[in-house]
Amino acid sequence: MIDKLDSSLRFHQEALNLRARRQEVLSTNIAHADTPNFKARDFDFSSALTQAVDRGRQAQSLSMAGTSSRHIAGQAQAGTEAELMYRTPNQSSIDGNTVEMDVERVNFADNAMRYEANLTVLSSKIKSLLSAIQ
């Protein structure tokens, strides 16, 4: 029962973690808009989400059996690390900075809106699960 609940909420958990990570990356780009030779970075959200969900499925299917009390317990790795890529600017700048504030602002606002939408969907899903339990 708990496995089904975890798997039904895993997508939203991974999406929220990746949205938060992307918000950090975009805010770093905005903060360094005037830094000479700073290169704007971002990651492909959809492929990172697919990889994170697939890693979660693989982790569910594999479980380790401890046969001795002296075994070292394994620790889960953070699965929200996406591969950061450099952004190609539409218009180059003299100081080598590739941050374009208009692009960054649009991506920042879009990501924030999608984060809020994901929270709303997750909240309604939890409310419907709670009403089904009662």
Side-chain angles (χ1 to χ4, degrees), residues 64-93:
M64 296 178 65
T67 57
S68 172
S69 62
R70 296 183 297 172
H71 285 167
I72 297 174
Q75 296 186 3
Q77 299 291 330
T80 59
E81 222 25 65
E83 181 183 345
L84 291 178
M85 297 176 285
Y86 292 102
R87 183 172 291 149
T88 305
N90 295 325
Q91 182 177 352
S92 61
S93 66

Side-chain angles (χ1 to χ4, degrees), residues 48 50 55 57 67 70-71 82 97 102 107 113 119 124 131:
T50 302
R55 273 194 308 268
R57 286 185 187 137
T67 57
R70 296 183 297 172
H71 285 167
N97 188 312
D102 292 337
N107 287 333
M113 179 196 61
L119 276 178
S124 66
S131 66

